[in-house]
Amino acid sequence: MKIVVNARFLIKDKLEGIGWFSHEVLRRMVEAHPEDEFIFLFDRPFDDTFLYAPNVKGVQLFPPARHPFLWYLWFELAVKRYLNKHKPDAFFSPDGSLSLKASCPQVMVCHDIAFMHYPEYVPKLVNKYYRHYTPKFLKRADRVVTVSEFVKSDIHSTYNTSKDKIVVANNAAREAFEVIDEGERNAIQDRFTSGQPYFLYVGAIHPRKNVGLILKGFEQYKVKYNSDLKLVLLGRMAWQTDEFEQQLKHSPYAKDIVLPGYCTSETLVKITAGARAMVYVSKSEGFGIPLLEAMRCDVPLIISDKTSLPEVAGDAALMVGIDDHEQLAEHMNSIHTSESLRNDLISKGRSRVSFYTWDRASNVCYAAIQEAIKA
């Protein structure tokens, strides 16, 4: 087969959610199928390390697509022209878009439709684009891949997309995430938290991620239990952060809250593995990869009871409502002070995380491509 792939999120040293999904799935797919020819389409100069095997060719198409207007030009002019000229067996797009005017079979990955439920957290022009084009993409796609049963159900109920057309691939955690020894844990604590244990959040600082609840819960925990624990918030400042910045500025425990800023992938692994617990209480999440990363490191979880997070974590987490900072404070205390609870959650996490592998995700995506060609 000749498979053309949208690879525009494969950006060296800048891989985030969709980029990591693309990297892990595509690397395995091309290596597992040397009999197939893969053409990766990039929207800017690309790094050859993303051409994972001899059966992969990279092609740059103009214009660079990092704005809704340019998204349209890239998919409906450049990509359409390439697909209709070269007539591949299929086009695989892992970032929730495709080319409406291309004639070949197409498979898209839809990671979530949070813009439908929380439009206030998405830039207006981006939200307008998603709202207009996502239903068209879903209708045009021959197969749709999602990352959780929650997203599959959400797509079906919101757009009336047939469930028979949608398959779930899940995400996974990178193999680099692993348990560290006491010496490494002490070194991380010395480096970032003055030698103290800490709760950890990993992800963008953004209202949808509900980081404000973490701050309120942490403050309540400190007031009630007079603990020495710190809070590490590891992620980039996204947008709509004014309220968070004011909350942090006026927090009586600001000195115990650490924002490391950008760190290397290796440091991210160590900070995750060194945490006393991962706190991830997003209002809406298509999956939640940091949960798996924490479970791989034997770090217990506190999560919100919304959207995909309970599905991913199963019984390996303590859950709170998205507004319940008092319950969050109690869970912080329980997960820090009860070794039996910690050991139970860690054990359940080990079993849970073993289900989620990139090999499985890649196989589901490849099968969806095959099904689209046969449809």
Side-chain angles (χ1 to χ4, degrees), residues 289-307:
I289 292 179
L291 274 59
L292 302 186
E293 294 170 346
M295 287 191 281
R296 278 189 62 93
C297 297
D298 280 359
V299 173
L301 302 169
I302 303 173
I303 64 171
S304 68
D305 59 2
K306 298 297 182 183
T307 62

Side-chain angles (χ1 to χ4, degrees), residues 152-168:
K152 177 177 179 176
S153 178
D154 201 17
I155 291 172
H156 171 70
S157 61
T158 303
Y159 298 113
N160 199 32
T161 304
S162 171
K163 287 189 175 182
D164 292 338
K165 186 177 180 177
I166 308 171
V167 295
V168 178

Side-chain angles (χ1 to χ4, degrees), residues 118 209-218 220-221 278-284 291 301-310 313-314 316-335 341 345:
Y118 292 95
K209 298 293 189 175
N210 210 17
V211 185
L213 177 71
I214 301 176
L215 291 183
K216 291 177 69 175
F218 181 67
Q220 176 82 5
Y221 167 73
M278 168 79 74
V279 184
Y280 203 85
V281 291
S282 201
K283 295 179 181 179
S284 179
L291 274 59
L301 302 169
I302 303 173
I303 64 171
S304 68
D305 59 2
K306 298 297 182 183
T307 62
S308 67
L309 300 184
L318 301 181
M319 287 189 285
V320 300
I322 57 172
D323 298 312
D324 197 343
H325 68 278
E326 293 183 353
Q327 183 67 71
L328 177 54
E330 294 305 313
H331 282 341
M332 286 177 165
N333 182 60
S334 296
I335 215 163
L341 174 62
L345 293 175

Side-chain angles (χ1 to χ4, degrees), residues 73-145:
L73 292 180
W74 198 72
F75 282 101
E76 299 307 329
L77 293 180
V79 173
K80 179 208 71 173
R81 187 183 301 120
Y82 187 92
L83 294 176
N84 288 345
K85 177 181 179 180
H86 294 276
K87 302 185 185 304
D89 293 290
F91 177 55
F92 177 63
S93 181
D95 69 4
S97 302
L98 46 72
S99 179
L100 295 171
K101 298 177 182 178
S103 57
C104 68
Q106 299 188 62
V107 176
M108 65 176 276
V109 182
C110 185
H111 296 265
D112 65 63
I113 53 172
F115 61 88
M116 288 295 294
H117 309 299
Y118 292 95
E120 68 272 22
Y121 296 153
V122 182
K124 289 184 178 180
L125 187 59
V126 173
N127 186 60
K128 185 175 181 180
Y129 179 92
Y130 285 155
R131 282 176 171 262
H132 179 76
Y133 283 106
T134 296
K136 297 178 184 295
F137 294 152
L138 291 168
K139 184 176 181 180
R140 170 61 184 86
D142 296 274
R143 288 292 184 274
V144 177
V145 178

